[in-house]
Amino acid sequence: MSDTETTSTHAPGVPHPQRWAVLGLLGLAQLMLILDITVVAIALPHMGAELDLGRAALTWVVSGYALTFGSLMLLGGRAADLFGAKRVVLAGLVLFTVASLAAGLATGAPLLLAARIAQGAGAAMLSPAALSVVVRLFDGDERNRALGIWSALGGGGAALGVLLGGLITAGPGWAWVFFVNVPVGLVVLVALARLLPNLPRMAAGSLDVPGAALVAAATGALIYALIRAGDHGWLDIVTVALFAAAAAAYAAFAVWQRRAAAPLMDLRLLGRRPVVAGTFVIAVATALMVGAFFLGSFYLQNQQGHGALITGVLFLPVALLTMAAAAAAGRVIGRLGARLLGVVSLAVAAVGFLVPVLWSGTTAMVTGVGVAAAGLGALFVVASATALASVAPHEAGVTSGIVSTFHEFGAAAGAAAVSSAAATSIVAHTGAQSASGFDDAFLVATGMAAVSAVIVLWLIPAKRQ
């Protein structure tokens, strides 16, 4: 196949007849990637007891996946442009599925951590390539609806992971949080191999290996710094050194991209207002969503005394609200415009975060997190639609990689920020004094949502008439 010719079986310019089925399969694959963060988090205590893992090893079971996932996504998006989105989607899905099997079979820390890193690499290939397929198969209002469904699966998946993690851990055991990916991955792989069209490769040349290494190192250092800040503080010497190393590596990457014969990305993409706005919004939305789940889970278990299974069940309405809001946002964003919908979504999130500050108890927490999650579910659609609406087909892969990378930035930053703000409550288990840390953290989230609403009002371009 040449770099420019299409091998799709339908006529050029005509929507692909199987596009909605392809979206469903890609969405299911993406759901696995998102679930694998919160599902595993719930299973960590049982995993540690059975495999005799220390606190550091358990931390890396989560962080190793997040670091690899976040640092390699720009490379995955570029690979989709160079080698074809279908090839990269299928390769990423194979790697993720095989690594999931290895993680479930692990009998100690070395194999488990290696498998988690391999899962992250597979996810980094699959996620941006899949998103670029969605952007290229759909157009106009249909694209907004498709992005609404995609965002609903991403936002709701994090909350569903809490429920499934509790059910699986209490049932067949922690290994099945990994094993469950194997049959699902195989079914999706076979179906996508048959239905996914051979979309044309949108770039020529070779992969920029030095650029990929620099951006992976920079992104990995930055995400690790954000994760470490939650445990050791923002002014810890190692944390500060990691931030400095990330900044230096990003600067070196920018210099290299101007000299490379076939650069990993066109840096001018980062100067486009819609792309900047979309990446800002995705980072804020993810940070607030992860923060809400993090705080809600600790509050319900440590402060209210609920077990993992009950906590998971209590998060079910949160997941449903997130998914419903995202799907609805995909239908109305074309009429309202991204700017107005973004401001309203952040205002709703701010109101939700205030509820557990003003009232205490399980009902207030679930209600507040649910309202906030509804606003954030809609905000994910705003982010994707804004960043990807105006990119050319040959830029879809790398732009999807940028959006996905900032998603991981937001997740790491959100967990670090709220764990720092609520530190006194996380280590304590009961009492009015320990609840004050949760109030502080939710007030931080409220202020962040309110300030972001003002920035969004200025940053997102006005709706075109």
Side-chain angles (χ1 to χ4, degrees):
M1 183 179 70
S2 71
D3 289 327
T4 56
E5 72 172 338
T6 176
T7 60
S8 299
T9 57
H10 66 288
V14 177
H16 193 277
Q18 300 291 335
R19 62 194 182 281
W20 291 106
V22 169
L23 173 65
L25 291 167
L26 292 175
L28 183 56
Q30 175 73 3
L31 183 62
M32 282 199 305
L33 311 186
I34 302 300
L35 284 173
D36 225 56
I37 298 174
T38 47
V39 164
V40 171
I42 294 297
L44 284 178
H46 295 263
M47 201 180 300
E50 186 169 327
L51 299 182
D52 193 25
L53 302 179
R55 187 192 65 82
L58 288 174
T59 300
W60 278 104
V61 170
V62 176
S63 301
Y65 178 75
L67 275 171
T68 313
F69 193 178
S71 61
L72 295 180
M73 274 194 289
L74 192 57
L75 179 61
R78 179 60 174 169
D81 288 339
L82 282 173
F83 308 125
K86 180 174 182 177
R87 290 180 182 177
V88 177
V89 165
L90 297 181
L93 186 54
V94 168
L95 179 56
F96 182 84
T97 303
V98 172
S100 296
L101 178 62
L105 294 173
T107 56
L111 178 57
L112 179 60
L113 295 180
R116 287 294 281 167
I117 290 171
Q119 277 189 308
M125 296 170 67
L126 173 56
S127 185
L131 183 54
S132 73
V133 171
V134 174
V135 172
R136 292 171 63 187
L137 284 186
F138 294 89
D139 199 12
D141 286 339
E142 274 199 349
R143 180 187 287 180
N144 290 332
R145 289 175 58 196
L147 289 174
I149 295 170
W150 183 268
S151 301
L153 292 171
L160 283 175
V162 179
L163 171 61
L164 293 177
L167 290 172
I168 293 172
T169 304
W174 68 264
W176 281 91
V177 302
F178 300 114
F179 285 149
V180 73
N181 292 329
V182 178
V184 176
L186 290 175
V187 170
V188 174
L189 178 67
V190 172
L192 281 177
R194 184 173 63 88
L195 292 180
L196 192 60
N198 284 314
L199 296 170
R201 286 180 281 179
M202 301 310 300
S206 58
L207 198 60
D208 177 17
V209 176
L214 282 170
V215 78
T219 306
L222 180 55
I223 292 176
Y224 184 38
L226 292 169
I227 293 170
R228 185 181 173 84
D231 292 330
H232 301 278
W234 295 91
L235 298 180
D236 171 72
I237 185 64
V238 177
T239 302
V240 173
L242 285 167
F243 279 123
Y250 277 126
F253 171 72
V255 171
W256 174 254
Q257 292 306 281
R258 291 186 173 90
R259 298 177 55 190
L264 186 66
M265 66 174 291
D266 184 354
L267 292 178
R268 290 175 296 182
L269 271 176
L270 299 177
R272 296 183 190 176
R273 187 173 172 184
V275 175
V276 173
T279 52
F280 170 77
V281 173
I282 196 73
V284 168
T286 311
L288 291 174
M289 182 72 81
V290 169
F293 292 163
F294 186 96
L295 292 171
S297 178
F298 269 99
Y299 181 86
L300 292 173
Q301 293 185 70
N302 286 12
Q303 190 71 22
Q304 296 297 308
H306 300 299
L309 180 58
I310 297 300
T311 299
V313 172
L314 289 171
F315 266 91
L316 181 58
V318 177
L320 295 176
L321 279 169
T322 305
M323 299 171 78
R331 294 181 177 275
V332 303
I333 189 172
R335 294 194 297 272
L336 297 180
R339 177 194 283 180
L340 177 59
L341 185 58
V343 172
V344 171
S345 299
L346 283 163
V348 170
V351 171
F353 287 129
L354 269 181
V355 171
V357 176
L358 300 176
W359 295 277
S360 61
T362 298
T363 301
M365 176 61 69
V366 174
T367 300
V369 171
V371 171
L376 297 174
L379 198 62
F380 281 114
V381 182
V382 173
S384 299
T386 302
L388 298 168
S390 59
V391 298
H394 69 277
E395 300 167 328
V398 72
T399 307
S400 298
I402 293 171
V403 171
S404 300
T405 299
F406 274 83
H407 183 283
E408 295 306 304
F409 283 164
V418 299
S419 64
S420 298
T424 57
S425 295
I426 290 171
V427 296
H429 286 271
T430 57
Q433 180 66 32
S434 69
S436 63
F438 288 113
D439 290 345
D440 293 342
F442 275 109
L443 284 174
V444 168
T446 302
M448 184 176 173
V451 171
S452 297
V454 176
I455 295 174
V456 161
L457 184 62
W458 165 74
L459 187 58
I460 295 182
K463 181 178 182 294
R464 295 176 181 175
Q465 299 300 321

